[in-house]
């Protein structure tokens, strides 16, 4: 027997309607290239999204067409999110930090019809123009006064196109399964793959993000996503903030600038901010030098890579800011787990252990770990295996792929290696491809890195497996020191003694000026493995 409830589609249009109804005056603040502090309300934002939807119709965009964006976090990108998705088009956000060949591949594969780009990216698109077979024109996200000169065909100014367009639009009734957004994974192996998000997945994921044991954003808060809107929809924050009517603060191209972040947090009374560890390193460094404080900031969400304890400690001790560790991936929209506030009654040593874990899956994500034969492993905090997930906001297949991306019994393999404890806490021990296989046993590169990052004077650390005749692979530690610090590799290695089993301890340590990062801000272990593939081990290794 079926239930007898109303059929109501879960769409992003409902998010827009709700913001217009309940929070029309809540603000969206942006840093853009043409305005250091743009400020308007959700009411104005969605009126402009309606104007933009008219423009997209005029340009001949049809249901399901992909509209590419190459843009930072600002109000125009926000307008694009809603104008495209809510009119039945697909908002295809492109990561400008990728190599030009990858950007070319992605635009061709997605068959983008129009590109909306920040002025900064005009030269990039000019360099690719001859090779773009589906793109009909380029719209630059700025006003007439800031339009860069270009010979690009069908080249328009965003603000010119919006002028005189009606500020209301007949938003279509969309089915919840229709595609809303498209984002390609950075493709650390092989070509990038497109994750095609549906309205339903985005709406449910928005609920997931807003849950009390997740971001728990309230209407009277201000949120600063320092995660780019060009990667996994900025963790859904541009949907979650208007859904509850919170103020949205968008840092534009200044995401890596500690000074701008501090200024925005203080001026706009930001209460919650979200980003990868590297942006917090930049902010904390700025705060250390400037002696500024962040009185309004209550919590930061850190994900994308393991969050070092040093970040959590400095935020809490110096600024009274609680750090929540979260884990996810493009294929999961991205939220998988969230480490909610640990009860004050838990002893500090135990609390630290828990907080370094990636957290627990909220309602909407199920997780399991499996062994080499896909045999489910116990959730006892020690067994570790391939992490698999399932749920309504997890990818079933990649864009244009005929094949399902799932295991035969319907789980998505994340490519991560993890443990899960009896209370459901997840600990990522590695990426499947980064785990170090020494003499048939696995060594977690993340655990070694986390430890190295706690050492005084260490700014960043990476551990990679390098070929070894006898052991197949052995761990090599690469360290970037803080400016002015002098530390000998042997001294660093000696600190690992007694902290790990002997056979886990790296056999060599190299101090380097900087570590390579991927387009999404993670340490590129692929590049490091290539660079150090010929590394000569210092002596015979007995473990
Ligand atoms: P891409 O799809 O571009 O590779 P994602 O942003 O989807 O990048 O990255 C997902 C991966 O990032 C996860 O599978 C995991 O390996 C890593 N990751 C994300 N959050 C964390 C975290 N909190 N701790 C450790 N690793 C993380």
């Amino acid at each position: 027997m079926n239930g007898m409830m109303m059929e109501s589609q879960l769409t992003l249009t409902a998010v827009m309607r709700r913001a217009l109804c309940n929070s029309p005056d809540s603000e969206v603040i942006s840093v853009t290239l043409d305005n250091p502090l743009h400020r308007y309300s959700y009411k104005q934002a969605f009126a402009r999204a309606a104007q933009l939807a008219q423009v997209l119709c005029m340009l001949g965009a049809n249901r399901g067409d992909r509209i590419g964006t190459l843009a930072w976090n600002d109000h125009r990108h926000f307008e694009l999110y809603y104008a495209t998705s809510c009119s039945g088009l697909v908002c295809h956000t492109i990561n400008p930090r990728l190599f030009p060949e990858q950007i070319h591949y992605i635009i061709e594969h997605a068959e983008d019809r129009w590109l909306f780009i920040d002025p900064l990216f005009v030269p990039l698109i000019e360099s690719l123009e001859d090779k773009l077979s589906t793109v009909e024109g380029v719209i630059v996200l700025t006003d007439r006064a800031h339009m860069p000169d270009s010979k690009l065909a069908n080249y328009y100014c965003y603000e010119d196109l919006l002028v005189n367009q009606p500020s209301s639009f007949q938003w279509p009734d969309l089915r919840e399964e229709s595609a809303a957004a498209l984002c390609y994974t950075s493709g650390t192996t092989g070509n990038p793959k497109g994750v095609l998000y549906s309205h339903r997945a985005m709406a449910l994921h928005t609920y997931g993000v807003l849950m009390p044991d997740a971001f728990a954003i309230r209407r009277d808060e201000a949120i600063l996503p320092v995660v780019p809107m060009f990667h996994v929809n900025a963790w859904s924050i541009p949907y979650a903030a208007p859904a509850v009517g919170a103020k949205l603060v968008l840092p534009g191209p200044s995401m890596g600038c500690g000074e701008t972040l501090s200024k925005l947090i203080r001026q706009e009374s930001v209460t919650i901010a979200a980003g990868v560890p590297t942006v917090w390193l930049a902010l904390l460094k700025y705060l250390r030098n400037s002696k500024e404080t962040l009185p309004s900031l209550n919590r930061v969400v850190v994900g994308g890579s393991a969050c070092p304890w040093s970040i959590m400690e400095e935020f809490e001790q110096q600024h009274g800011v609680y750090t929540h560790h979260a884990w996810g991936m493009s294929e999961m929209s991205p939220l998988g787990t969230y480490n909610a506030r640990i009860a004050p009654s838990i002893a500090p040593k135990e609390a630290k252990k828990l907080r370094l874990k990636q957290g627990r899956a909220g309602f909407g994500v199920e997780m399991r770990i499996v062994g080499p034969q896909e045999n489910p492993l116990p959730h006892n905090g020690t067994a570790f295996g391939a992490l698999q997930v399932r749920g309504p906001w997890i990818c079933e297949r990649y864009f244009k792929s005929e094949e399902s991306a799932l295991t035969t019994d319907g789980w998505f393999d994340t490519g991560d290696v993890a443990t899960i404890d009896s209370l459901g806490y997840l600990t990522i021990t590695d990426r499947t491809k980064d785990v170090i296989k020494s003499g048939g046993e696995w060594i977690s590169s993340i655990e070694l890195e986390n430890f190295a990052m706690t050492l005084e004077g260490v700014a960043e650390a990476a551990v990679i497996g390098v070929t070894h005749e006898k052991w197949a692979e052995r761990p090599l530690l690469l360290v970037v020191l803080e400016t002015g610090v002098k530390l000998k590799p042997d001294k660093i290695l000696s600190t690992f003694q007694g902290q790990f089993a002997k056979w886990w301890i790296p056999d060599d340590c190299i101090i380097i000026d900087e570590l390579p990062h991927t387009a999404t801000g993670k340490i590129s272990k692929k590049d490091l493995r290539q660079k150090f593939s010929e590394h000569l081990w210092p002596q015979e290794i007995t473990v």
Side-chain angles (χ1 to χ4, degrees):
M1 191 196 292
N2 288 340
M4 295 184 179
M5 306 309 282
M6 190 184 281
E7 190 186 297
S8 172
Q9 302 297 303
L10 291 167
T11 64
L12 295 173
T13 320
V15 171
M16 181 166 66
R17 276 202 304 265
R18 182 175 158 89
L20 281 171
C21 206
N22 287 18
S23 321
D25 299 328
S26 293
E27 288 179 308
V28 180
I29 314 295
S30 310
V31 176
T32 67
L33 286 173
D34 51 51
N35 187 341
L37 205 66
H38 178 274
R39 182 184 295 276
Y40 68 1
S41 64
Y42 281 130
K43 187 171 172 196
Q44 289 166 304
F46 291 125
R48 278 170 53 94
Q51 290 181 301
L52 179 56
Q54 302 278 2
V55 170
L56 288 162
C57 284
M58 251 171 40
L59 295 175
N62 295 315
R63 288 274 178 103
D65 282 350
R66 272 76 66 202
I67 304 296
T69 71
L70 266 162
W72 294 100
N73 294 13
D74 67 26
H75 66 290
R76 295 189 181 103
H77 207 176
F78 180 82
E79 292 158 11
L80 269 159
Y81 264 42
Y82 285 88
T84 50
S85 302
C86 299
S87 58
L89 306 170
V90 178
C91 184
H92 172 207
T93 53
I94 306 165
N95 185 341
R97 291 183 186 137
L98 294 171
F99 293 120
E101 309 83 72
Q102 288 177 311
I103 293 179
H104 168 236
Y105 172 88
I106 285 173
I107 296 175
E108 285 291 292
H109 189 267
E111 299 176 65
D112 289 333
R113 283 193 58 193
W114 291 86
L115 294 179
F116 286 74
I117 67 172
D118 274 357
L120 283 175
F121 306 125
V122 170
L124 170 71
I125 296 305
E126 284 172 338
S127 73
L128 296 176
E129 187 184 21
D130 292 345
K131 295 190 270 180
L132 297 177
S133 63
T134 62
V135 173
E136 291 165 43
V138 175
I139 293 103
V140 183
L141 296 162
T142 191
D143 55 18
R144 173 74 16 214
H146 296 86
M147 252 325 253
D149 284 335
S150 175
K151 294 205 166 45
L152 281 168
N154 296 328
Y155 181 70
Y156 298 109
C157 164
Y158 183 84
E159 293 298 334
D160 283 0
L161 288 179
L162 255 58
V163 170
N164 298 330
Q165 294 296 340
S167 58
S168 65
F169 184 75
Q170 189 63 41
W171 299 105
D173 288 328
L174 297 171
R175 299 289 308 171
E176 61 185 22
E177 60 275 13
S178 43
L182 175 65
C183 174
Y184 282 72
T185 63
S186 46
T188 38
T189 49
N191 276 327
K193 290 186 275 210
V195 184
L196 188 62
Y197 306 103
S198 64
H199 277 266
R200 175 184 151 82
M202 292 300 89
L204 289 172
H205 182 263
T206 300
Y207 280 117
V209 163
L210 290 169
M211 294 272 262
D213 273 346
F215 286 53
I217 312 165
R218 293 188 319 266
R219 187 177 192 279
D220 61 356
E221 291 201 281
I223 179 156
L224 172 73
V226 198
V227 277
M229 287 173 73
F230 56 70
H231 193 60
V232 212
N233 309 315
W235 299 357
S236 222
I237 294 167
Y239 308 134
V244 291
K247 172 154 118 176
L248 184 60
V249 183
L250 302 169
S254 312
M255 301 220 288
C257 170
E259 184 176 358
T260 310
L261 296 180
S262 168
K263 194 165 155 198
L264 280 174
I265 293 170
R266 285 179 294 114
Q267 268 181 10
E268 300 306 325
S269 301
V270 167
T271 53
I272 166 168
V276 296
T278 32
V279 302
W280 305 126
L281 289 174
L283 175 64
L284 289 169
K285 187 170 176 191
Y286 172 78
L287 295 173
R288 237 174 281 141
N289 294 332
S290 67
K291 308 268 181 296
E292 283 165 16
T293 55
L294 305 173
S296 63
L297 194 65
N298 169 280
R299 62 209 187 277
V300 292
V301 185
V302 186
S305 305
C307 180
W309 180 247
S310 53
I311 290 186
M312 298 194 189
E313 205 173 29
E314 189 168 349
F315 260 129
E316 191 146 343
Q317 288 181 359
Q318 305 302 321
H319 303 281
V321 172
Y322 194 92
T323 312
H324 294 275
H325 203 182
W327 163 85
M329 63 194 309
S330 310
E331 288 87 339
M332 299 180 72
S333 299
L335 189 62
T337 58
Y338 193 92
N339 208 323
R341 204 175 271 262
I342 307 281
S345 56
I346 306 235
K349 212 166 152 203
E350 188 54 24
K352 176 178 172 180
K353 269 201 220 148
L354 284 177
R355 289 184 58 191
L356 282 169
K357 294 174 184 252
Q358 274 71 13
R360 296 201 266 192
F363 179 56
V365 175
E366 284 178 83
M367 306 190 292
R368 71 173 183 185
I369 42 172
V370 299
Q373 271 78 47
E374 301 274 310
N375 50 309
L377 298 173
H379 293 188
N380 59 10
T382 51
F384 63 95
L387 174 62
Q388 302 187 339
V389 290
R390 64 180 182 193
W393 59 74
I394 294 162
C395 165
E396 192 267 327
R397 70 185 63 214
Y398 292 100
F399 184 44
K400 290 189 174 171
S401 166
E402 297 292 314
E403 266 172 56
S404 163
L406 308 184
T407 60
T408 43
D409 58 348
W411 292 75
F412 180 84
D413 195 304
T414 61
D416 285 330
V417 181
T419 66
I420 301 175
D421 71 17
S422 58
L423 294 175
Y425 277 97
L426 173 78
T427 304
I428 300 285
T429 57
D430 238 317
R431 291 290 279 169
T432 320
K433 53 186 188 292
D434 294 338
V435 75
I436 301 159
K437 298 178 183 98
S438 169
E441 303 276 357
W442 286 7
I443 298 174
S444 157
S445 63
I446 294 188
E447 277 187 48
L448 295 170
E449 284 159 10
N450 280 349
F451 176 75
M453 292 283 290
T454 62
L455 303 176
E456 199 154 331
V458 171
E460 222 178 352
V463 177
I464 53 166
V466 176
T467 321
H468 185 275
E469 235 178 19
K470 179 167 168 197
W471 301 104
E473 274 182 353
R474 289 295 303 154
L476 171 68
L477 170 65
L478 303 153
V479 166
V480 179
L481 295 176
E482 276 168 11
T483 332
V485 170
K486 294 211 171 9
L487 256 181
K488 290 262 182 300
D490 281 355
K491 180 103 204 292
I492 297 177
L493 286 176
S494 67
T495 59
F496 283 74
Q497 303 294 337
Q499 305 289 332
F500 294 92
K502 189 165 172 278
W503 61 279
W504 271 49
I505 298 179
D507 300 295
D508 206 357
C509 167
I510 303 178
I511 304 216
I512 53 177
D513 291 340
E514 111 183 275
L515 290 172
H517 289 91
T518 66
T520 48
K522 293 171 206 196
I523 296 171
S524 173
K525 299 241 178 125
K526 190 175 81 170
D527 288 343
L528 286 175
R529 277 193 290 265
Q530 231 161 36
K531 187 161 173 200
F532 293 97
S533 60
E534 308 282 312
H535 178 68
L536 291 177
W537 292 108
Q539 74 276 321
E540 201 193 327
I541 297 171
T542 46
V543 292

